[in-house]
């Protein structure tokens, strides 16, 4: 079987951008700019309007949300006796745990559960384990403000269909993952990783997810910073609990070719973690790498790659919205066309392949597909 190139990963995650004539001026004094801006404001709510006015979407959402909530509550019930508590938004708000409802049941990934270095139990999914290999892999880290891995199933579906093994997961405190940490082998909760809205959960979540993704029967998963005794204590405590120590897709994963992608705070996280690649010795100088390197070959940031405190190491793609944040709002003057090119310029200066894509009328939620109340283009 011909394997897809890891560089192809950069192309497969391109958003579709509709070309349009450039405005003749850059503020409301020009009629063409006002017309252009009015069209942008409409485009920026295209997905939300579609969801609110399409009966078929509403029908799909009912089924998808019922499944998502049932799974979340099932985790609550099964894990309570092990001292685990889940209070993320996806436990109670189905709009946060569905993603694109119309595609929710198109592919059934394999659910996984693994423990992070804080001792929190993280849930996620493996895509493409049933296909022959070896095939390169991609780890996707969610955005913050209660982003769930279901929001990024659109990318997992596309990548797995193109021949990649994919891992999506919920960082600590979000989605269906546990809120609190634990010392290895202890049922007592700790405050490590609390609150969820901190870069540590996303950076170290990416590290732990990648370590799990690369695990095999010969080299089972060990959370970053843990010792063999820590793992033994956790395994003893987890006797009877659902806990995975080996990637179920290990036999078909090409463990020498891994891409990482992330959205929002997750994009900032993968910008940091790409420095842990074995393509250079940079990992020795980055504390978040813990002195270890990984076979990272490409990085993608969805709104967007970080712009400070990093050194480009592997080829990177940067995707960004062109001016709106969480909701389309009037823009009396055009955004600075160079504002989204900071990461691009850094990669170019480093002599490493890069690509930047900016979505016209896009919002920060283009990549997360929040049902009903997430403005985005369509």
């Amino acid at each position: 079987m011909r394997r897809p190139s890891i560089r192809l990963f950069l192309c497969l995650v391109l958003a579709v951008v509709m070309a349009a004539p450039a405005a003749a001026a850059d503020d409301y004094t020009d009629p063409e700019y006002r017309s252009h801006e009015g069209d942008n404001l409409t485009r920026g709510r295209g997905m939300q309007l579609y969801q609110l006015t399409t009966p078929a979407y509403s029908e799909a959402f009912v089924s998808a949300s019922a499944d998502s909530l049932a799974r979340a509550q099932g985790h609550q019930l099964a894990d309570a006796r092990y001292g685990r508590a889940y209070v993320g938004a996806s436990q109670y708000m189905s709009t946060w745990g569905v993603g694109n409802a119309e595609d929710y049941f198109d592919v059934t990934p394999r659910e996984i559960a693994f423990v992070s270095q804080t001792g929190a139990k993280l849930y996620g999914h493996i895509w493409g384990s049933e296909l022959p290999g070896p095939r390169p892999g991609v780890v996707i880290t969610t955005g913050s403000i209660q982003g769930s891995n279901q929001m990024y199933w659109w990318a997992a579906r596309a990548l797995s269909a193109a021949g990649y093994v994919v891992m999506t997961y919920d960082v600590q405190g979000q989605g269906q993952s546990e809120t609190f940490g634990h010392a290895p082998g202890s049922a007592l909760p700790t405050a490590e990783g609390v609150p969820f809205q901190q870069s540590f959960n996303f950076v170290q979540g990416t590290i732990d997810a990648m370590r799990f993704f690369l695990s095999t029967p010969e080299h089972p998963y060990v959370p970053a910073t843990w010792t063999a005794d820590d793992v033994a204590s956790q395994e003893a405590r987890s006797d009877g609990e659902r806990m995975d120590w080996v990637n179920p897709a290990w036999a078909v994963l090409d463990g020498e070719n891994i891409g990482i992608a992330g959205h929002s705070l997750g994009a900032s996280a993968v910008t940091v973690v790409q420095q842990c690649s074995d393509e250079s010795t940079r990992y020795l100088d980055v504390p978040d790498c813990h002195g270890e390197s990984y076979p990272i070959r490409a990085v993608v940031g969805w709104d967007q790659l970080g712009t400070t405190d990093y050194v480009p190491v592997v080829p990177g793609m940067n995707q960004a919205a062109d001016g709106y944040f969480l909701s389309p709002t009037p823009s009396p003057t055009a955004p600075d066309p160079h504002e989204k090119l900071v990461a691009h310029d850094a990669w170019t200066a480093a002599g490493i392949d890069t690509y930047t894509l900016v979505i016209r009328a896009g919002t920060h939620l283009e990549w997360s597909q929040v049902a009903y109340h997430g403005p985005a283009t369509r």
Side-chain angles (χ1 to χ4, degrees), residues 36-332:
H36 183 88
E37 169 71 354
D39 184 60
N40 277 355
L41 290 170
T42 301
R43 288 172 184 251
R45 291 191 179 276
M47 180 60 73
Q48 188 178 36
L49 291 171
Y50 170 79
Q51 293 171 348
L52 290 169
T53 60
T54 305
Y57 183 88
S58 298
E59 293 176 9
F61 176 77
V62 171
S63 298
S65 62
D67 181 81
S68 179
L69 288 174
R71 291 176 184 274
Q73 295 306 308
H75 297 159
Q76 292 261 24
L77 294 172
D79 294 344
R81 68 191 187 97
Y82 298 99
R84 304 195 183 279
Y86 303 83
V87 298
S90 292
Q91 302 291 319
Y92 315 102
M93 297 174 60
S94 55
T95 54
W96 244 251
V98 169
N100 187 345
E102 291 179 309
D103 297 335
Y104 184 88
F105 293 105
D106 281 2
V107 179
T108 303
R110 296 182 66 168
E111 186 178 76
I112 53 173
F114 61 104
V115 66
S116 73
Q117 62 192 264
T118 68
K121 187 174 183 177
L122 308 185
Y123 279 95
H125 297 86
I126 297 292
W127 304 71
S129 62
E130 72 285 356
L131 300 174
R135 288 173 290 121
V138 180
V139 174
I140 297 175
T141 296
T142 71
S144 63
I145 314 180
Q146 290 299 306
S148 68
N149 81 96
Q150 288 90 340
M151 293 179 182
Y152 305 91
W153 281 10
W154 61 269
R157 291 187 196 96
L159 288 165
S160 61
Y164 292 83
V165 183
V166 184
M167 177 176 172
T168 59
Y169 73 100
D170 292 321
V171 303
Q172 180 180 343
Q174 296 195 167
Q176 296 185 9
S177 288
E178 187 179 6
T179 301
F180 302 100
H182 302 267
S186 174
L188 297 176
T190 71
E192 192 171 7
V194 180
F196 66 88
Q197 190 73 18
Q198 56 175 304
S199 61
F200 174 90
N201 289 21
F202 295 81
V203 173
Q204 293 307 314
T206 303
I207 292 288
D208 283 335
M210 191 161 45
R211 293 171 70 91
F212 178 84
F213 199 46
L214 293 168
S215 63
T216 68
E218 292 75 21
H219 299 284
Y221 168 63
V222 177
T225 74
W226 279 33
T227 66
D229 288 341
D230 291 334
V231 173
S233 295
Q234 185 61 51
E235 288 180 321
R237 177 207 165 191
S238 299
D239 185 26
E241 179 184 13
R242 164 71 189 283
M243 191 72 74
D244 297 310
W245 297 96
V246 174
N247 177 3
W250 68 271
V252 299
L253 176 66
D254 177 359
E256 292 301 317
N257 288 285
I258 304 298
I260 54 177
H263 176 221
S264 188
L265 194 51
S268 299
V270 297
T271 308
V272 173
V273 175
Q274 59 88 30
Q275 299 174 112
C276 303
S277 171
D278 58 12
E279 295 282 336
S280 79
T281 59
R282 172 66 178 164
Y283 68 92
L284 295 173
D285 301 319
V286 179
D288 288 307
C289 301
H290 308 291
E292 297 187 61
S293 64
Y294 302 91
I296 303 169
R297 303 291 175 248
V299 61
V300 174
W302 295 317
D303 213 31
Q304 58 184 321
L305 288 176
T307 56
T308 58
D309 301 326
Y310 67 86
V311 173
V313 173
V314 300
M317 174 185 284
N318 187 43
Q319 298 185 16
D322 72 350
Y324 301 133
F325 185 45
L326 296 180
S327 180
T329 54
S331 180

